[in-house]
């Protein structure tokens, strides 16, 4: 499908308006953090929901909610105050390859981040571009304990990972368009700095629209797609994630 630049922007703007609505929250993993109102509860719930975001969406939502229930639906308080004996509730947890060992590691790392690193927002806010920020965050996250099997659950962009789940999480936290979907509760990163999450659906749509030539869904593809989206809206390029995802999932474009 070959469109002129003006036609492409008009088409994607229309789809962004269609899919960036609270109506779609219930069927999306972003519904998990939308249960909370405190900043830290939102970002912790969002971080876990984004981490589990591969597979069937109803299963992602159900398992992310299981994690929240195990934290007494007060994730920030739990992260701050829970101790080793409390973590037994997670030993039998499993979502795809993310299991109880990983959940407990995440709790330990988040506890360190909130007690010693100034919180999740600060941990993602190193000076530099998004590659620098994501690399610095991963180093902080795995800095206190050997990563072991859990290393695969935080993308390593230095090895070319697309970091789909981290980019999605950052979209949720940073974008502030008052539409009721993304939270816009972080101000250390601007919307202009964000990179577009790529999955099978959005990647297929992007290629069909001529926004992406690279065939692999890796960091080079993320960069190529994001640079092209920035030509359409330099200040908020990742708003088009709604359009690409909606076209792929709901319209089978």
């Amino acid at each position: 499908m070959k469109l002129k630049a003006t036609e492409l922007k008009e088409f994607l703007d229309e789809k962004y308006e269609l899919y960036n609505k609270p109506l779609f929250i219930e069927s999306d993993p972003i519904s998990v953090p939308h249960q909370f109102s405190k900043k830290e509860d939102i970002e912790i719930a969002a971080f876990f929901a984004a981490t589990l975001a591969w597979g069937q969406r109803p299963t992602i939502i159900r398992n992310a909610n299981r994690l929240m229930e195990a934290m007494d639906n007060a994730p920030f308080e739990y992260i701050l105050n829970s101790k080793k004996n409390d973590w037994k509730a997670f030993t039998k947890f499993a979502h795809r390859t993310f299991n109880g060992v990983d959940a407990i590691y995440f709790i330990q790392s988040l506890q360190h981040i909130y007690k010693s690193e100034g919180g999740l927002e600060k941990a993602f806010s190193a000076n530099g571009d998004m590659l620098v920020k994501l690399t610095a965050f991963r180093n902080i996250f795995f800095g206190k304990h050997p990563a072991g099997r859990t290393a695969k659950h935080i993308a390593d962009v230095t090895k070319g990972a697309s970091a789909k789940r981290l980019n999605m999480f950052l979209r949720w936290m940073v974008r502030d368009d008052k539409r009721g979907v993304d939270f816009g509760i972080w101000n250390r990163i601007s919307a202009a700095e964000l990179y577009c999450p790529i999955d099978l659906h959005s990647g297929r749509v992007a290629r069909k629209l001529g926004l992406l030539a690279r065939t692999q869904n890796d960091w080079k593809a993320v960069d190529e797609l994001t640079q092209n989206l920035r030509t359409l809206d330099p200040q908020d390029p990742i708003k088009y994630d709604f359009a690409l995802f909606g076209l792929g999932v709901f319209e089978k474009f």
Side-chain angles (χ1 to χ4, degrees):
M1 182 178 181
K2 192 66 175 176
L3 297 173
K4 295 178 181 178
T6 53
E7 294 173 330
L8 178 60
K9 177 172 170 54
E10 185 176 321
F11 177 67
L12 290 176
D13 282 340
E14 178 185 317
K15 297 301 179 181
Y16 160 71
E17 296 288 345
L18 175 62
Y19 292 114
N20 185 18
K21 292 178 180 176
L23 171 69
F24 294 98
I25 287 175
E26 185 178 353
S27 65
D28 192 90
I30 202 173
S31 64
V32 178
H34 267 287
Q35 298 171 71
F36 301 97
S37 57
K38 182 189 292 185
K39 175 181 184 277
E40 293 83 1
D41 284 337
I42 291 169
E43 61 195 17
I44 292 168
F47 187 68
F48 276 104
T51 298
L52 300 190
W54 82 104
Q56 297 295 314
R57 289 191 297 159
T59 305
I60 295 165
I61 295 166
R62 181 171 67 251
N63 286 336
N65 279 324
R66 282 177 57 208
L67 288 177
M68 295 303 101
E69 289 162 10
M71 297 181 197
D72 302 318
N73 287 310
F76 183 49
E77 183 179 342
Y78 188 91
I79 293 297
L80 282 186
N81 299 316
S82 65
K83 295 179 172 58
K84 188 174 181 179
N85 286 342
D86 301 316
W87 302 338
K88 293 176 183 176
F90 297 91
T91 54
K92 294 184 179 180
F93 180 83
H95 174 80
R96 312 275 298 213
T97 64
F98 187 93
N99 66 17
V101 171
D102 305 312
I104 291 168
Y105 192 106
F106 268 54
I107 291 166
Q108 288 178 288
S109 286
L110 288 172
Q111 194 169 78
H112 168 72
I113 283 169
Y114 279 100
K115 288 185 174 182
S116 303
E117 300 288 346
L120 260 178
E121 181 179 5
K122 187 175 179 183
F124 271 100
S125 304
N127 291 328
D129 64 14
M130 191 55 68
L131 269 173
V132 171
K133 294 180 192 300
L134 292 178
T135 301
F137 170 74
R138 193 175 192 276
N139 290 338
I140 291 169
F141 194 85
F142 292 123
K144 294 297 289 182
H145 308 283
R149 58 160 284 117
T150 307
K152 63 186 175 184
H153 293 297
I154 300 290
D156 187 350
V157 291
T158 67
K159 295 182 178 178
S162 70
K164 172 229 170 182
R165 288 169 281 171
L166 291 177
N167 284 324
M168 182 176 70
F169 169 71
L170 290 173
R171 194 207 86 193
W172 294 353
M173 296 298 96
V174 172
R175 288 194 70 257
D176 186 17
D177 61 7
K178 315 300 184 192
R179 300 294 184 95
V181 181
D182 291 335
F183 291 94
I185 55 175
W186 285 9
N187 55 32
R188 291 171 179 257
I189 301 171
S190 72
E193 296 177 84
L194 296 175
Y195 277 68
C196 193
I198 290 183
D199 64 10
L200 291 175
H201 304 292
S202 59
R204 183 183 74 249
V205 173
R207 292 179 181 97
K208 194 168 183 179
L209 291 173
L211 288 164
L212 179 60
R214 188 169 176 80
T215 55
Q216 292 176 261
N217 284 345
D218 57 8
W219 186 261
K220 288 182 179 179
V222 171
D223 184 58
E224 180 188 345
L225 174 58
T226 301
Q227 298 308 330
N228 284 327
L229 295 178
R230 284 175 178 160
T231 67
L232 304 178
D233 189 334
Q235 298 308 310
D236 189 16
I238 310 311
K239 72 181 189 183
Y240 296 116
D241 183 33
F242 288 99
L244 298 176
F245 186 78
L247 282 164
V249 171
F250 298 114
E251 300 187 32
K252 310 299 181 186
F253 183 85

